[in-house]
Amino acid sequence: MTVPESTQYTIRSAVPADVRGIRDLVTPYADRRILLAKELVGYYEAVQEFVVAQDATGRLVGCGALHVMWLDLGEVRTLAVDPLWRGRGVGGALLEALVGRARVLRLRRLFCLTFEVDFFSAHGFRTIEGTPVDQDVYGELLRSHDDGIAEFLDLARVKPNTLGNTRMLAELD
């Protein structure tokens, strides 16, 4: 399949009818162990966190999610673009939409765990070491069963799953 000459797409909030398309976008990346695979029910449970990119024919060509972790902290998750659409600005537009959502929620920092260091660096993220929260917040976050929060905290229990990806953080204006 080739991408039509028109590279027009729109970014919008995901709806439950998009879930199978989101899963289909993520699957090739999960198969290569770049993104974590989820059960279909997990996507339905998190659909309100997602934005999607849709081409002129209505087909999903990208997705991404914003997960709130704490009062001022969120995580960019599951950012995926159809390989035929890479290099056309879809990933940047999705990330911009997620940053916009973060600002509306008054988040000041965004975390991501990624192999795409250059992409996220170009969008204001920097590599981090350790955990950039105070001890009280750290103690509260330890209560979460969410693997993304465990990755943020750099907990040993998730280290085998990091696969060499990089922990990054952006400070929002």
Side-chain angles (χ1 to χ4, degrees):
M1 178 178 183
T2 61
V3 175
E5 286 300 312
S6 169
T7 57
Q8 294 179 346
Y9 58 88
T10 57
I11 305 293
R12 62 172 175 77
S13 295
V15 296
D18 295 323
V19 164
R20 290 182 190 276
I22 291 169
R23 183 197 55 197
D24 292 346
L25 285 166
V26 172
T27 296
Y29 293 100
D31 289 348
R32 295 187 349 243
R33 300 182 69 183
I34 293 171
L35 290 176
L36 293 176
K38 291 183 185 177
E39 297 295 332
L40 198 56
V41 69
Y43 291 113
Y44 280 110
E45 290 172 344
V47 72
Q48 71 280 358
E49 296 182 353
F50 278 87
V51 294
V52 294
Q54 183 177 25
D55 73 9
T57 70
R59 186 165 102 43
L60 297 188
V61 297
C63 66
L66 173 66
H67 181 77
V68 175
M69 298 171 80
W70 196 250
L71 173 70
D72 67 340
L73 178 65
E75 180 183 6
V76 173
R77 292 183 171 180
T78 322
L79 188 59
V81 175
D82 181 314
L84 295 173
W85 282 80
R86 287 185 65 143
R88 298 171 186 264
V90 175
L94 287 163
L95 183 56
E96 184 178 310
L98 295 171
V99 169
R101 279 184 165 196
R103 286 191 169 107
V104 167
L105 293 170
R106 297 185 183 148
L107 301 179
R108 292 183 336 188
R109 298 176 299 161
L110 285 179
F111 169 74
C112 72
L113 185 67
T114 186
F115 288 103
E116 299 292 340
V117 174
D118 291 341
F119 171 81
F120 280 96
S121 292
H123 289 89
F125 285 74
R126 64 177 170 77
T127 301
I128 60 170
E129 299 291 331
T131 305
V133 293
D134 65 36
Q135 285 299 323
D136 291 338
V137 172
Y138 183 90
E140 289 294 327
L141 290 174
L142 277 176
R143 299 171 194 263
S144 174
H145 297 288
D146 185 283
D147 282 340
I149 290 178
E151 289 281 8
F152 174 74
L153 296 177
D154 202 22
L155 298 180
R157 75 175 168 89
V158 294
K159 287 210 179 283
N161 295 327
T162 61
L163 307 173
N165 42 15
T166 301
R167 299 166 65 246
M168 301 184 80
L169 191 73
E171 305 279 339
L172 304 182
D173 305 337

